[in-house]
């Protein structure tokens, strides 16, 4: 009898051993938060069955201030994920695991540290305020320098049609520089509109200095100063627009922004106009852009044919003027697409473009095809500027 009892007991113990051996196999087929590795440890089951399952990667970014303390979940079971709610304790009891939370704390600042941080903050604010003030003054000085250069040239040559057409680009740059001073005062330099205008000013200033270097007999100090101020302040303005006044904007890169610039402009130019005004500005951009390309071809031909500095300087000057006007036209097209023509910047740009186009039409002749188009777009820009003023006042 004792032998039978021992035999039955042995069979039962063997059955339990078999069940214990096969139990993990059945667990693998069910969702579990336990990491189960095959022999060699190169395969792993999924551990997250609750949070952001549609995302390819669950990444959490958090910020802590002095004196803060946070407890983060590491078991993926928390109902307040990424913060811990104690679910790891139930997980540990059920699985025999020993996971726990990540506890992060930042000590409170000592009184002397608070004072030091306040000093650093005050110094940074003072530095930023100084940069802004100097840039605003620089833009305004650029405007003033161009006005003086216009007066200087006009007093020598008289205000002929050619002189008016030649000086209209300086007037356009003076007006844009004044617009940029307002943008700097109101912290709007990071907008794509003002970054584009700054880049256009950089190009105009650089070419202006080259032109003055090529024409020593007609070079004027005021024209050199104006071109130099244009280049320097536009470079600073563009840099602050990309990097911020403190030059510490996260994920900001001038190289990356410059690389994206032509792509964004081309996309904007070839995008379908969203209204009739945008269609008109697209036509203006196309006309001036075509003239710009023609002038570039002429410049290349002059460079190939010889070293006539006067011809090179003339072509360079017109190329710079047309490039600037083309960017203004594109900026207005972009504003029309966004229904933003009532903004002060775009009202002023409309009137500046109208004036430049009017001098172009007067110089080439109203009866010519180019003169007729220039006159039409001059009226188009002036009308939109006046309509925007009226619309803006009606909303006030």
């Amino acid at each position: 009898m004792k032998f039978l009892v021992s035999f039955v007991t042995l069979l039962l113990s063997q059955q339990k051993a078999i069940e214990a051996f096969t139990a993990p196999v059945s667990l693998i087929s069910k969702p579990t938060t336990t990491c189960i590795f095959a022999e060699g440890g190169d395969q792993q089951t999924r551990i997250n069955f609750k949070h952001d399952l549609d995302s390819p990667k669950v990444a959490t970014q958090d910020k802590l201030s002095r004196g803060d303390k946070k407890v983060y979940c590491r078991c993926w079971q928390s109902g307040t994920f990424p913060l811990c709610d104690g679910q790891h304790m139930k997980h540990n009891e059920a699985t025999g695991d020993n996971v726990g939370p990540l506890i992060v704390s930042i000590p409170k600042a000592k009184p002397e540290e608070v004072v030091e941080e306040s000093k650093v903050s005050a110094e940074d604010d003072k530095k930023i305020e100084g940069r802004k003030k100097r840039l605003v003054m620089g833009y305004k000085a650029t405007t003033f320098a161009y006005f003086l250069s216009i007066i200087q040239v006009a007093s020598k040559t008289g205000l002929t049609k050619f002189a008016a057409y030649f000086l209209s680009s300086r007037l356009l740059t003076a007006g844009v520089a004044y617009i940029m001073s307002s943008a700097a005062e109101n912290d709007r330099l990071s907008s794509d509109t003002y970054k584009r205008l700054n880049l256009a000013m950089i190009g105009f200033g650089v070419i202006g200095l080259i032109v003055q270097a090529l024409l020593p007999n007609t070079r004027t100090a005021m024209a050199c100063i104006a071109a130099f101020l244009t280049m320097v302040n536009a470079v600073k303005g563009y840099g602050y627009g990309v990097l911020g006044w403190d030059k510490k904007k996260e994920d900001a890169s001038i190289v990356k922004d410059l690389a994206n610039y032509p792509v964004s402009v081309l996309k904007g130019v070839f995008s379908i106009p969203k209204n009739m005004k945008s269609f008109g500005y697209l036509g203006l951009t196309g006309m001036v852009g075509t003239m710009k390309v023609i002038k570039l071809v002429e410049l290349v031909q002059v460079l190939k044919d010889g070293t006539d500095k006067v011809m090179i300087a003339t072509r360079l000057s017109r190329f710079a003027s047309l490039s600037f006007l083309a960017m203004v036209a594109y900026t207005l097209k972009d504003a029309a697409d966004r229904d933003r023509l009532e903004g002060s910047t775009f009202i002023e740009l409309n009137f500046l473009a109208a004036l430049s186009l009017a001098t172009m039409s007067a110089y080439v002749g109203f009866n010519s095809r180019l003169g007729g188009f220039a006159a039409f777009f001059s009226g188009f820009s002036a009308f939109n500027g006046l309509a925007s003023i009226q619309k803006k006042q009606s909303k006030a």
Side-chain angles (χ1 to χ4, degrees), residues 39-52:
E39 187 175 355
D42 59 349
Q43 293 182 1
Q44 183 178 356
T45 63
R46 181 169 187 154
I47 61 172
N48 176 26
F49 291 91
K50 296 181 65 173
H51 307 291
D52 297 333

Side-chain angles (χ1 to χ4, degrees), residues 191-208:
S191 165
D192 286 343
T193 293
Y194 300 106
K195 286 194 289 186
R196 283 195 297 264
L197 292 174
N198 266 320
L199 287 174
M201 288 179 66
I202 292 172
F204 190 83
V206 170
I207 294 178

Side-chain angles (χ1 to χ4, degrees), residues 142-143 146-147 150 164-180 197 200-201 204 230 288 318 320-329 332 348-357 359:
T142 302
T143 300
Y146 272 117
F147 274 126
I150 290 170
Y165 179 46
F166 174 75
L167 295 174
S168 64
S169 59
R170 297 188 185 186
L171 183 61
L172 177 64
T173 311
V176 171
Y178 184 77
I179 291 171
M180 298 307 295
L197 292 174
M201 288 179 66
F204 190 83
T230 301
V288 181
R318 296 316 307 153
S321 301
L322 291 168
S323 296
F324 205 158
L325 183 56
M327 183 52 64
V328 169
L332 289 169
E348 292 164 2
L349 286 178
N350 262 315
F351 289 130
L352 288 170
L355 185 58
S356 294
L357 291 164
T359 59

Side-chain angles (χ1 to χ4, degrees), residues 244-261:
W245 288 108
D246 59 357
K247 297 187 282 189
K248 297 178 182 178
K249 188 182 291 185
E250 294 183 6
D251 300 325
S253 168
I254 289 179
V255 174
K256 187 187 298 184
D257 195 81
L258 286 173
N260 291 333
Y261 168 72

Side-chain angles (χ1 to χ4, degrees), residues 279-289 325-326 328-329 332 353 357 373 377-378 380-381:
F279 186 81
Y281 289 122
L282 178 60
L284 173 58
T285 304
M287 183 192 80
V288 181
L325 183 56
V328 169
L332 289 169
L357 291 164
F373 277 121
F377 284 119
S378 175
F380 173 78
S381 299

Side-chain angles (χ1 to χ4, degrees), residues 19 63 76 88 96 110 112 116 157 160 165 170 207 229 237 254 303 307 310 339-340 352 359-360 372:
E19 291 175 355
K63 291 184 179 181
W76 294 90
H88 61 275
K110 298 177 181 179
E112 58 270 21
E116 185 64 27
T157 63
T160 62
Y165 179 46
R170 297 188 185 186
I207 294 178
L229 288 174
I254 289 179
L303 290 172
T307 57
V310 175
D339 196 24
R340 295 291 304 276
L352 288 170
T359 59
M360 180 190 296

